[in-house]
Amino acid sequence: MIGVDFLLFIAFSLACVPLVWLVPRTYAFDAVAAWTLAALLAYSPATAAWVASIAFGLPMLLTHGARRKDTLAAALSLLIAAAFVFSRLTPGWGWIGGAFFTLRALHVVIEWWMGRLRAPGLRESLRYFLFLPVFVAGPINRLPHFQHQLRRWRWDTAAFMTGAERLLLGLVFIYFIAGGLVAELHRGVVKLSEGAPAFWSSWALSAVDWINLYFVFAGATHVALGISLMMGLTLEENFDRPWAARSLISFWQRWHMSLTLWVRDYVFRPLAALTRSPLLGLVVAMLAVGLWHEFSVYYVLWSLWQSLGILAARFVPRWIGIDRLGPRAIAVLGPLSVFAWLSAARPVIGLLGVMQ
């Protein structure tokens, strides 16, 4: 997600800011779409070709496919998902932002099939799929919200300054906190854990990696949302103080929210309703979250670990009468238990001989 070229990507994305305000209003986001396609061609021609195919193809297919709606929606969903799986399983092949634009495309197809979204026009599709700031790290913004933002788009000095502040905060998160302080913490934990049992050493390093992941990912989100604000658009948030969550259920409602809400709407709810089994819906939903990150045995087991933790968060507090501890104790012990469970996934799975 965040590599050595990320600063270059930020520079390309920042170029959208003067572009959107200097081009005549009618064509401003068409110019952004054209710039995005040019940037993707410079980064990865394969990415540019596939995203362009989606952006150009969906309006035509959905507009003229009403008579074969079920068949078309199923075929398109399978094609889009299969292409993403292929990109993940083929060595040396990959798309920039593939995990994000794949879910955006599936969102459009599914909402159209359910009758909650009309087929987007060509310009609407190009503007939505070719919006550079959200390409690398999300959020997985949805078309109706994006269209609403375009309709109310206007210059707002306060929003522009807030966006600039979020951009700077994101850079601090990524390069100062994650790249500096957390990296130093990681080195310290490695040194302190020398000679310790492998399980406890792995748990400690996993905890540090969760801290690092938060500052990198939340930082990248701040960058994307900050640049979007500087362009006059307020997009969906991705994080809502996840480390303040008092249960694993609350944590997954606060962490990478655009992904977890997508999975809730398009995996958990339909499957739970179809099978009348919320448990099956939960397991498959967490499996989708895990495999979205990486196709591996580790992430299959990681998904099962998270499902087990959510079940425990649902029933265990009631059994042990945790309410008797009082709100202050829960406010401290809740987040600590969440952090401990999340970071325990790696050493527990490692006991099975599966490494990340």
Side-chain angles (χ1 to χ4, degrees):
M1 179 181 63
I2 306 298
V4 294
D5 293 332
F6 189 60
L7 281 175
L8 181 60
F9 169 80
I10 294 175
F12 274 115
S13 297
L14 274 172
C16 295
V17 177
L19 185 65
V20 81
W21 297 117
L22 294 176
V23 171
R25 181 181 181 89
T26 303
Y27 305 105
F29 286 93
D30 301 317
V32 171
W35 174 252
T36 298
L37 186 59
L40 292 177
L41 282 169
Y43 267 83
S44 168
T47 302
W50 181 235
V51 177
S53 298
I54 292 174
F56 280 98
L58 283 185
M60 178 183 65
L61 292 171
L62 299 185
T63 299
H64 300 287
R67 293 183 180 180
R68 302 178 299 276
K69 201 170 189 179
D70 292 347
T71 302
L72 180 60
L76 286 173
S77 298
L78 287 173
L79 175 62
I80 293 167
F84 172 62
V85 172
F86 172 80
S87 73
R88 283 294 182 88
L89 296 180
T90 305
W93 182 273
W95 291 320
I96 297 171
F100 295 94
F101 68 70
T102 294
L103 296 192
R104 291 190 188 98
L106 289 173
H107 147 70
V108 172
V109 172
I110 294 170
E111 290 294 312
W112 170 81
W113 172 66
M114 298 182 72
R116 299 193 297 227
L117 181 70
R118 64 172 179 80
L122 179 58
R123 290 180 72 189
E124 292 174 318
S125 181
L126 291 172
R127 290 173 172 184
Y128 174 62
F129 286 109
L130 296 173
F131 185 70
L132 190 60
V134 301
F135 229 87
V136 170
I140 306 167
N141 59 307
R142 302 197 185 187
L143 180 57
H145 181 81
F146 189 73
Q147 290 173 324
H148 175 71
Q149 288 297 306
L150 291 183
R151 287 193 296 269
R152 66 186 300 274
W153 173 63
R154 68 187 186 281
W155 171 262
D156 186 319
T157 302
F160 183 90
M161 297 307 297
T162 300
E165 290 174 359
R166 291 199 70 167
L167 169 61
L168 292 175
L169 179 63
L171 294 176
V172 170
F173 270 30
I174 296 169
Y175 294 103
F176 178 71
I177 299 180
L181 299 180
V182 180
E184 188 64 31
L185 175 63
H186 187 276
R187 287 189 286 270
V189 171
V190 169
K191 186 175 181 179
L192 288 173
S193 61
E194 290 178 357
F199 181 90
W200 300 109
S201 175
S202 177
W203 197 342
L205 290 173
S206 178
V208 175
D209 286 345
W210 269 99
I211 297 172
N212 180 74
L213 177 61
Y214 171 73
F215 283 107
V216 170
F217 199 0
T221 298
H222 280 307
V223 168
L225 296 183
I227 294 175
S228 299
L229 271 174
M230 294 170 73
M231 297 171 66
L233 304 181
T234 302
L235 301 185
E236 297 92 331
E237 294 288 343
N238 240 358
F239 294 91
D240 179 19
R241 300 181 303 121
W243 299 119
R246 300 182 184 185
S247 74
L248 200 62
I249 297 172
S250 177
F251 175 86
W252 286 114
Q253 293 170 339
R254 296 162 174 255
W255 177 276
H256 199 175
M257 295 183 294
S258 64
L259 172 62
T260 54
L261 289 174
W262 193 101
V263 171
R264 181 200 68 184
D265 292 342
Y266 300 127
V267 180
F268 173 76
R269 285 180 173 173
L271 188 59
L274 181 65
T275 64
R276 297 183 180 180
S277 173
L279 176 59
L280 179 61
L282 167 65
V283 172
V284 175
M286 292 311 301
L287 184 62
V289 172
L291 295 180
W292 181 85
H293 288 87
E294 180 182 298
F295 283 84
S296 66
V297 174
Y298 176 87
Y299 271 99
V300 171
L301 297 174
W302 179 90
S303 302
L304 295 176
W305 177 257
Q306 301 306 329
S307 299
L308 179 62
I310 291 172
L311 288 174
R314 176 70 176 83
F315 295 108
V316 170
R318 185 188 308 169
W319 294 342
I320 65 176
I322 199 170
D323 290 341
R324 293 195 297 268
L325 295 177
R328 291 186 178 180
I330 293 174
V332 174
L333 295 177
L336 287 176
S337 65
V338 169
F339 187 58
W341 184 272
L342 291 168
S343 55
R346 186 188 300 171
V348 170
I349 296 172
L351 294 176
L352 303 176
V354 179
M355 302 300 171
Q356 187 175 9

